[in-house]
Each structure stands twice: as structure tokens, then as C-alpha cells.
Amino acid sequence: MYDYLIVGAGIFGAVFAREMTDQGKRCLVIDKSSHIAGHIYTEAVEGIQVHVYGAHIFHTSDKEIWEYVNRFTTFNHFINSPLAIYKDELFNLPFNMNTFHQMWGCKTPKEAKEIIDKQTEQLKDTDPTNLEEQAIKLVGPDIYEKLINGYTEKQWGRACKDLPAFIIKRLPVRFIYDNNYFNDRYQGIPENGYTSMIEHMLEGIEVRLNTDYYAVRDQEEFRAKKTLFTGMIDEYYNYCFGELEYRSLRFDTKIIDEENFQGNAVINYTEREIPYTRIIEHKHFAFGKQPKTVVTYEYPATWKTGDEPYYPVNNEKNDALYERYKELGEKENNIIFGGRLGQYKYYDMDKVVRAALHLVNEVSEKANSADI
Ligand code: UDP
């Protein structure tokens, strides 16, 4: 019998498995997919590491987490500086002096602030209750219309008024000329891809792929004292309180016979009429010089049961529903839920690693006090 059955070989499961194995526990990791690494899976195509389930850029301000992931890979010096195309205009992101110059022709922070202040004057003392109000209060209606509204409504499949404000707070607003999408101290992409990083985390640990938990959970050979489950918590409980909502994605990936297709790793298409949200040119995440290039058009998609879930939709209704599932989960003795799907949370990778390490401590402390 195993100490831990870990369901899902994504980053949460891999960190948990690594730590528990290092504490002398016997772990088995299973995944229904044919590969490890979950949604951060990368594979080489034409010598280029392709982010098969969408682009992932590791960024963190947490030194301990940065050092932790660096045990398993070397990160390159990639800095994410996406562009946004709206009709025939091109803008820098995140919202910074370059964007303000492109939008209004202003050159100094003072000028930019004056324009934004004027555009947001009536909202000064209001408390935004949804994404639309939050966005307009932050950067004014011009930027909202050209760079936020269409993109967000495509991405989430609902009106900005019906989305939580926190989503837009992920994006920095800066009054300096700085196109770095993140404010974090550390940033990069694993030099040999994310799959290799997860492979190193799972070194020496038993992994079984193409293995569906629901199909094998009653089998003797998969028995464990405890299970860490990183799949969808509502599915685990047979949707007994109803379905949580997710957002899905569809990726259209092509090899193009030219060296440089768009000149940047990420270009967002912010107008509503274009059905994809962004085009990713994978080689630019790694400064690639290959003769060909691989690009992915990312189409947001409605999620329905059975589809691949990518984003939890953390609005009030879903969060309240999740709380009910969470309560059920907390009553369990032998199963723990973790990760973006198990905890129904729009997590960045560094937060996932942090949460997995936190869970390891929590579980180990409980086990130690039980021994006493
Ligand atoms: N966003 C936007 N315009 C953009 C890029 C992002 O309005 O050009 C908003 C949108 O609401 C999106 C959110 O910012 O859902 C977060 O974007 P991010 O790029 O962080 O999302 P992720 O990479 O996780 O999909």
C-alpha cells in the first residue's frame, strides 16, 4: 500500500510528491493524460519548446519559491512584454507610459495622469463592484474600450459588468516606460521546457500515465493511506451541489515556414470581432533562431461537462458553491484537494508551488502530532 496516491501530475501534484518522497513516504502519481506536467506541459516541435496548453511564464517575488523551482531547472531571462493589437493600432502592455503615449500622444507621467484623472473624475470616490467599474476607474474609458472590454468579454464569455474586479487587478498600471508585464522580482521560462522541470521533480517517483482515477480507485494496486486529488472538486463529488463554472480554451497550432512570424512571444487581439484572444509565437520565449516557427492561436471557449477546464470562474456565485464542496472536502480523512481545480482558484504557478509546500507542512505536522 502507498502512503500517498497523487492524482494529477501537474505542478501541485509534482511538488507534493517530491516533498513527501523526500520525507520517506511511498508515493504513486497517476494522471489520466498521456503525459506529465498538466497544463504547463511543453513539447519540442521543430526544435522549439511549444506550450501546448497555453503560454506559461514563471514569475514570483517569493525568493524561497524561486530557489525551490531552480532546484529542478535553469530559467532563462525571458521577460514577458506582450503587445496588443486593436484594429490597426498597436499598443504596449501592461498599461504604462508607452501605452499612454500610443493612446494619447502624451510624453510625461504628469500629462498621462492628467488625462486619466480627467477621464475618471466622477469615479474618484466610488468602490468598484465589478471588472468594468474597476477597469474604468484604473485607466479610464479609452483604454477600457480599446484594450480591455473586448478582450475580457471574449476571454470570459460574459460581460465585464458580470466579472469580479480582481481579475483586472492582475495587470500593473505604471507611469514609467516599462513593458514588463509583471512586477515580480524573478521571472523566466525553464530552459528545457516545463515538462523537463516536472520530470526532475518527479525523479525516482512512480508515475502511471493514461490512468483515470475514477476507473482505478477501487483497485488493490492503487491503494494508499491518503489521496491528494488535483482534479475538479465538483466532479469528485458527482456535482452533488451543482456544477462549478470553468472557462475552456481551444488552441490552433501551426508550423510556419518562416523564421519570425510576429516578432514577439505574445500578441493580444483586443477587439471583440476577432475570435481569438492572442497569438503565441513559442520560439520567442526562448530567443530561438530556428529556421521555422510555431505559432498558436488561442480561442476562448465555453466549458461544458467533459471539456478541458482551464480557468475557474471565481465570481460570487461560484465561490459560494465551491465553499460547500470545500466543506465536504474538509470532513474527509483520507483525501485532500489541491491545485487550480481542486481548490477552484485562479492560481499563478508560484502560488501553486507555495500552496503545495504549505499543504506538505500542514499534513506533516498533523501526522507528527498524531504520532505523539
Ligand atoms: N486583459 C485585458 N486585455 C489584455 C490582457 C488582459 O483586458 O490585453 C485582462 C483580461 O480581463 C484578462 C485579465 O486581464 O482576463 C488577466 O490577463 P492575464 O494576461 O493575466 O491572463 P492569463 O494570462 O492568466 O490568461
Side-chain angles (χ1 to χ4, degrees):
M1 176 146 90
Y2 295 97
D3 291 308
Y4 285 100
L5 172 66
I6 292 147
V7 182
I11 191 165
F12 196 104
V15 169
F16 188 87
R18 174 77 273 140
E19 292 307 296
M20 285 306 180
T21 303
D22 291 351
Q23 288 184 21
K25 305 290 183 209
R26 219 181 141 221
C27 297
L28 169 65
V29 179
I30 63 170
D31 201 298
K32 66 179 176 189
S33 153
S34 59
H35 58 73
I36 59 166
H39 284 164
I40 61 172
Y41 175 69
T42 49
E43 69 184 15
V45 177
E46 300 288 338
I48 299 162
Q49 285 293 333
V50 171
H51 298 223
V52 176
Y53 302 97
H56 286 81
I57 299 117
F58 197 96
H59 57 98
T60 189
S61 294
D62 187 331
K63 188 161 183 267
E64 212 179 295
I65 296 302
W66 182 243
E67 283 167 1
Y68 185 82
V69 291
N70 273 276
R71 279 172 46 195
F72 307 101
T73 184
T74 305
F75 283 84
N76 70 14
H77 62 284
F78 178 78
I79 298 284
N80 192 27
S81 312
L83 296 165
I85 292 182
Y86 176 82
K87 303 204 165 145
D88 57 355
E89 292 176 283
L90 190 139
F91 297 94
N92 286 107
L93 291 174
F95 311 124
N96 74 92
M97 281 308 298
N98 289 304
T99 329
F100 307 143
H101 172 69
Q102 291 147 351
M103 186 71 66
W104 300 307
C106 59
K107 296 192 187 66
T108 66
K110 189 163 169 257
E111 289 170 307
K113 276 183 190 154
E114 271 168 16
I115 295 170
I116 293 179
D117 283 351
K118 203 166 157 216
Q119 291 198 354
T120 58
E121 213 171 344
Q122 312 96 298
L123 301 169
K124 240 186 11 231
D125 304 315
T126 59
D127 208 6
T129 58
N130 60 51
L131 196 152
E132 178 170 292
E133 290 171 11
Q134 177 70 66
I136 297 176
K137 182 168 173 162
L138 222 52
V139 286
D142 287 353
I143 292 185
Y144 175 70
E145 280 312 323
K146 288 188 175 175
L147 299 180
I148 300 175
N149 192 4
Y151 184 95
T152 302
E153 296 196 358
K154 283 195 284 193
Q155 170 76 355
W156 295 96
R158 62 199 78 205
C160 289
K161 279 197 178 80
D162 300 327
L163 284 164
F166 85 89
I167 295 178
I168 202 70
K169 287 201 210 143
R170 291 168 59 85
L171 270 61
V173 178
R174 297 194 191 107
F175 292 90
I176 51 173
Y177 288 93
D178 177 0
N179 298 324
N180 185 345
Y181 200 59
F182 304 113
N183 282 326
D184 287 320
R185 170 75 176 77
Y186 309 102
Q187 185 173 171
I189 308 257
E191 271 182 351
N192 300 314
Y194 285 98
T195 307
S196 155
M197 177 180 91
I198 299 291
E199 228 163 54
H200 283 117
M201 283 180 181
L202 292 172
E203 228 158 59
I205 301 171
E206 202 182 330
V207 179
R208 293 209 207 173
L209 299 173
N210 302 302
T211 302
D212 182 349
Y213 171 72
Y214 298 111
V216 303
R217 64 173 154 185
D218 297 326
Q219 292 175 21
E220 193 55 32
E221 58 186 299
F222 291 91
R223 274 191 57 206
K225 290 183 191 150
K226 275 191 196 300
T227 297
L228 167 71
F229 185 84
T230 69
M232 293 155 60
I233 188 165
D234 56 338
E235 182 184 47
Y236 180 85
Y237 286 114
N238 237 328
Y239 307 104
C240 65
F241 300 132
E243 285 184 8
L244 289 165
E245 289 170 290
Y246 300 87
R247 199 67 188 139
S248 198
L249 296 170
R250 185 171 68 76
F251 299 104
D252 184 12
T253 297
K254 316 179 204 218
I255 301 170
I256 298 179
D257 199 3
E258 55 185 282
E259 203 213 311
N260 186 4
F261 175 72
Q262 65 177 12
N264 204 36
V266 183
I267 301 191
N268 292 355
Y269 285 80
T270 55
E271 63 188 272
R272 200 182 277 91
E273 290 67 30
I274 292 182
Y276 45 86
T277 46
R278 47 192 167 194
I279 303 178
I280 304 298
E281 187 168 9
H282 299 271
K283 72 190 322 177
H284 297 310
F285 286 120
F287 319 102
K289 297 274 182 287
Q290 298 83 352
K292 291 188 184 178
T293 194
V294 182
V295 299
T296 299
Y297 289 66
E298 187 172 320
Y299 294 83
T302 314
W303 179 89
K304 54 186 184 335
T305 320
D307 291 347
E308 195 66 18
Y310 285 89
Y311 296 92
V313 182
N314 286 118
N315 59 19
E316 262 175 46
K317 176 180 149 233
N318 290 320
D319 284 351
L321 183 56
Y322 165 68
E323 281 305 313
R324 298 181 67 195
Y325 283 114
K326 186 176 162 212
E327 263 173 45
L328 277 189
E330 280 166 356
K331 289 192 192 120
E332 305 270 4
N333 285 323
N334 301 324
I335 182 147
I336 319 163
F337 296 89
R340 226 184 222 217
L341 301 175
Q343 294 174 302
Y344 197 68
K345 198 165 172 189
Y346 185 7
Y347 260 146
D348 284 338
M349 286 178 284
D350 64 323
K351 306 289 184 310
V352 173
V353 176
R354 174 50 78 200
L357 292 174
H358 181 76
L359 179 67
V360 168
N361 283 339
E362 215 176 73
V363 170
S364 311
E365 271 166 28
K366 249 193 216 159
N368 288 340
S369 58
D371 283 348
I372 301 162

